[in-house]
Amino acid sequence: MLNDAVQAQRTAEVLLKVEGLSKAFVAGKPVFADVSFTLARGEFVCIIGHSGCGKTTVLNVLAGLDTASSGNVFMAGREVTGPGLERGVVFQGHALMPWLTVRQNIAFAVKSRWPEWGRAEVSAQVEKFVALVGLTAAIDKKPSQLSGGMKQRVGIARAFCISPKMLLLDEPFGALDALTRGTIQDELLSIVRQTQQTVFMITHDVDEAILLADRILLMSNGSESAGRYLPGGIAEVVVNPLPRERSRASLHHLDGYYELRNHIVDFLVSRAVAH
Ligand SMILES: Nc1ncnc2c1ncn2[C@@H]1O[C@H](COP(=O)(O)OP(=O)(O)O)[C@@H](O)[C@H]1O
Ligand SMILES: [Mg+2]
């Protein structure tokens, strides 16, 4: 029996197609190999795996900031060969320009996206997204005057403010306290649902993936035993069977939640790193 999510995935328009990616920093020992998946337009996909399995590297290839050793990435049928404004990235480290204020960091992105906009339009857009991440009071501060969580929120505002077709998020909420994290997760969900944005997000947090993702890619680490090297890769794709209208508060009351959670945790504990 096909559930709704599987059915939706099969009939939806493919926005991003990843084919046979591998990346080797050391010849003959690729971090991962044969990574293939697609993202449907409007879909939210999370990827989970231990440190070092290559999640950030995959995301950087999708962003056009790194190249794969083999394989291809296509967005809306066109090969990705470099960064583009239709893909917004939130980096694991915030990657802000340290000499610019919060306002200027975000305005820089808005102006690159809409070079024809006047000063007032740019300001309004910047202020809207700074408010969204709760940083209005810090808008004229520089990154060095902000905490790690605040810098991460600037990175989120900067990626979201240009309304990219696709968001690539590398553990965007990792540095946030639980309360802020919850609020921003809710905001993210409501923005991407309204705008039909497609999201590829790396997270370490199983509950976060279950809350946000339509599908969850489980990624394994490369391993070596008896002199034989096995690259990492996508070990399994889990379709989230929970109703799409789920909320943080209701999550653990939903049928199927514990089964799904245990399945992912079991993967991380016993299968993600082959010995
Ligand atoms: N520029 C690089 N040069 C050499 N090795 C790298 C480079 N970037 C990443 N690696 C290695 O590739 C592996 C995967 O890294 P990464 O994609 O950051 O993993 P993850 O995000 O899953 O923690 C790690 O072993 C890391 O040390
Ligand atoms: Mg990483």
Side-chain angles (χ1 to χ4, degrees), residues 51-52 54-57 92 170-171 202 204:
S51 282
K55 303 178 299 296
T56 295
T57 305
Q92 197 166 4
D170 194 350
E171 302 190 33
I202 299 172
H204 265 112

Side-chain angles (χ1 to χ4, degrees), residues 98-113:
W99 61 94
L100 299 182
T101 63
V102 170
R103 183 193 294 280
Q104 292 163 337
N105 264 283
I106 298 173
F108 189 87
V110 174
K111 288 187 225 163
S112 349
R113 173 74 174 78

Side-chain angles (χ1 to χ4, degrees), residues 197-218:
Q197 270 164 311
T198 308
V199 187
F200 180 81
M201 171 168 154
I202 299 172
T203 179
H204 265 112
D205 182 331
V206 175
D207 275 328
E208 181 166 274
I210 296 176
L211 173 66
L212 299 173
D214 299 310
R215 284 185 302 145
I216 302 163
L217 311 182
L218 304 182

Side-chain angles (χ1 to χ4, degrees), residues 89-109 130 133 135 138-139 141-159 161:
V89 187
V90 175
F91 298 95
Q92 197 166 4
H94 42 82
L96 303 176
M97 289 176 269
W99 61 94
L100 299 182
T101 63
V102 170
R103 183 193 294 280
Q104 292 163 337
N105 264 283
I106 298 173
F108 189 87
V130 169
V133 296
L135 285 180
I139 193 165
K141 292 196 165 150
K142 291 200 174 153
S144 61
Q145 298 170 279
L146 306 177
S147 70
M150 290 163 91
K151 283 187 267 206
Q152 199 62 19
R153 282 188 270 160
V154 180
I156 292 168
R158 181 180 57 183
C161 72

Side-chain angles (χ1 to χ4, degrees), residues 205-256:
D205 182 331
V206 175
D207 275 328
E208 181 166 274
I210 296 176
L211 173 66
L212 299 173
D214 299 310
R215 284 185 302 145
I216 302 163
L217 311 182
L218 304 182
M219 189 163 176
S220 56
N221 289 69
S223 65
E224 190 153 21
S225 64
R228 185 160 174 263
Y229 179 77
L230 269 181
I234 307 292
E236 189 184 337
V237 179
V238 178
V239 174
N240 192 337
L242 304 180
R244 219 179 182 212
E245 301 66 42
R246 56 195 177 263
S247 68
R248 268 181 304 133
S250 69
L251 205 57
H252 41 281
H253 299 296
L254 296 172
D255 278 350

